[in-house]
Amino acid sequence: MELHTSTRALLSRFDTLSVTTPTYQMMRMDALVRGCIIDRNWDNFDAFYVFACDNQTVARQNWAQNAYNLTEVNSPTWTKYLGYTGDGATMYLDTGFTPTASDKFKANSMSFGVFSARHTLEPAATTMSEMGTRNGGSNLFRLSVLTDDNFFKVAIGDTEVGVFGNHFNSIGFYAVYRQQNPEGVDIGYRTKNTRYRTFRSGATGTVLPASDFFILAENDDSPPTGDPVFFSSRTLSFAFIGNGKVDLLKLHRRVKEYLEPLDAIQPIDTI
């Protein structure tokens, strides 16, 4: 089957980076890109990062556009066909993406999330943020896959919420989105195997931070270089940023279909 034009454009970008993509990886890429286009998700992304791939240079690239390509800070560990792992101390990825500069990620239409491929406990009395940014102590955007008290926590605006308790592993697709309706609703999603659950809050207003999103840490302002805090030691295979129109259920299915043949996802029964 002929590759989709969006896949060919992406491969042309990789060629300029002196990267040779194996044919079998081209097919996987094409299935993922084509699936997101069929699902009408592709045009809703500011950033689409596939860390579980065949080349570390490719792992830093934003598939959605040739902007916001990642900068590795203090050399987070990259593993072929698995992704990036932080050390919980100094390592993280800088997306270069600032919410205030986006034409998609807006105060009342936003989404962001990760796929955590391995089970990693959060040390007691610490905070690990898999993805986040804020303006100092306010305008907080955070996603923490598994806290030390067994919660999946998210934050949009100034309020952090423990979305799901009794949550005992960090494997799966975790995301949060906001799509404004007349009442104003924030909705957080997580998956455990194939089940989905939601949390809703009535907050209606949010000021976007002027600091880059970090992955495997949170940016505590101080633009433009940022101030990383809440470093994560988890292994992430995928991350995205977009508007509130992203269909999270369909996105999870496409990413999982991409990752499963790579054996990237740790089986639950090995925890």
Side-chain angles (χ1 to χ4, degrees), residues 28-68:
R28 292 192 188 105
M29 288 174 55
D30 190 61
L32 180 53
V33 171
R34 190 182 295 269
C36 288
I37 292 171
I38 292 171
D39 296 337
R40 299 184 179 181
N41 270 338
W42 191 245
D43 291 336
N44 297 320
F45 299 120
D46 284 293
F48 190 93
Y49 303 112
V50 181
F51 307 140
C53 59
D54 64 303
N55 185 286
Q56 189 168 356
T57 299
V58 171
R60 295 193 295 267
Q61 303 306 303
N62 176 8
W63 288 21
Q65 57 179 312
N66 193 13
Y68 313 128

Side-chain angles (χ1 to χ4, degrees), residues 76-88:
T77 302
W78 178 80
T79 304
K80 187 176 181 178
Y81 295 133
L82 178 59
Y84 279 107
T85 304
D87 65 350

